[in-house]
Amino acid sequence: MLGAQALSRIGGRRLLRAAGVFAAAALLSRARMALGLSPFGLGLFAAGLATGESAAALLLGSLLGALRFPIWEIDLLLPAGCALAMLGALMMDRLPSQRKVPESAAGPVLAGAAIFLPGLLRTELEAYRMVLLLVASVVAAVSAAAFQALLKWRPTKVRMHAEARAPATLLLFAALMGLREVWEPGAFLLASLVAIAAADSSPGLGAMMGALTGMALLSGGSNAILAVSLSLGGAVAGLLSNRGRLWAAPGFVLATGLAGLYAPD
């Protein structure tokens, strides 16, 4: 009986983890850069393959992120990049042990190739577009390295280790970019909650997370006033949090509301 219960708990955890990977892949695939590329989504996809996450969850999430309406506007480069990453992972597995790519480098290599090779179709071999493609490839490789570290991290009763904080921040940044494209009010609400929670810890952290979430929404296509209102709200909430836990949220709402008055109609 106890063995069956333990197996059930393990199966439930794996299912929840696969669901989380699916949702993250779908959101990050919506976070697009220049040339319409999705370096964060492919970075997570490659990192997941390298760390043994559910390939089905990664692929289904990425395909959902590539889906567009009307149907002929589907982002075909994203599934092409996923296919290249999976092919590359299979080829790496077949290499002799003495020629195997180190696990820490597998994700970045796969992510960079998955962005660069399909992305050549959108450059038309123009110098400026090639530079943008190289930047996106580097972002994908760096994201894959960060996400590999995050996927390997296991929560404990102590606070998140320092090496997992930066990858988690990058994941939040990319998720806000993707969520903004899907549902902008929801992205603004999530950014607000993050800034208020950070302000409860320290004024500096509230200001930093306000600026970071504002930059994420701005990078995703929101107007500059919305980004500035988040930055201002995080700073004000952080300053007021020293007076007590009930001051941060009203201060944030007041500051963002006043800044939002200047937003274009």
Side-chain angles (χ1 to χ4, degrees):
M1 181 64 71
L2 291 177
Q5 290 177 349
L7 288 174
S8 177
R9 282 197 298 270
I10 293 172
R13 288 173 188 167
R14 287 180 178 173
L15 185 60
L16 285 175
R17 189 173 179 88
V21 167
F22 169 81
L27 278 181
L28 267 60
S29 295
R30 287 276 180 170
R32 294 186 292 174
M33 289 182 61
L35 304 180
L37 301 173
S38 303
F40 299 110
L42 283 170
L44 178 65
F45 188 87
L49 291 181
T51 55
E53 297 295 330
S54 169
L58 287 165
L59 185 58
L60 288 174
S62 298
L63 292 178
L64 179 61
L67 188 62
R68 299 289 187 277
F69 294 100
I71 204 73
W72 55 81
E73 293 183 2
I74 287 178
D75 180 12
L76 295 178
L77 292 191
L78 183 57
C82 292
L84 279 174
M86 294 182 76
L87 179 61
L90 289 173
M91 292 175 64
M92 286 180 180
D93 286 341
R94 292 178 177 272
L95 289 174
S97 57
Q98 63 271 22
R99 296 180 59 188
K100 280 193 177 297
V101 178
E103 185 181 344
S104 59
V109 169
L110 291 174
I115 280 287
F116 185 81
L117 295 177
L120 285 171
L121 296 173
R122 289 187 180 163
T123 63
E124 300 176 0
L125 299 182
E126 294 180 5
Y128 177 66
R129 288 172 175 259
M130 288 295 294
V131 170
L132 293 178
L133 177 60
L134 286 173
V135 170
S137 301
V138 170
V139 170
V142 171
S143 299
F147 295 150
Q148 273 187 216
L150 188 61
L151 289 171
K152 289 179 181 177
W153 175 76
R154 292 295 181 268
T156 61
K157 292 182 179 180
V158 298
R159 298 179 66 180
M160 181 178 285
H161 298 303
E163 60 269 18
R165 291 174 193 162
T169 302
L170 178 63
L171 180 65
L172 172 66
F173 184 92
L176 283 172
M177 281 183 65
L179 183 57
R180 183 265 156 201
E181 186 174 332
V182 177
W183 185 36
E184 187 168 21
F188 183 79
L189 176 61
L190 176 59
S192 301
L193 293 175
V194 168
I196 293 172
D200 254 349
S201 299
S202 71
L205 187 59
M208 184 185 74
M209 293 308 294
L212 179 78
T213 54
M215 286 178 58
L217 295 188
L218 185 61
S219 301
S222 294
N223 64 68
I225 298 297
L226 185 64
V228 169
S229 70
L230 277 169
S231 302
L232 180 62
V236 171
L239 290 172
L240 291 177
S241 64
N242 288 334
R243 299 182 64 90
R245 299 182 64 87
L246 298 179
W247 286 76
F252 181 89
V253 172
L254 180 61
T256 53
L258 289 174
L261 293 176
Y262 295 93
D265 294 332

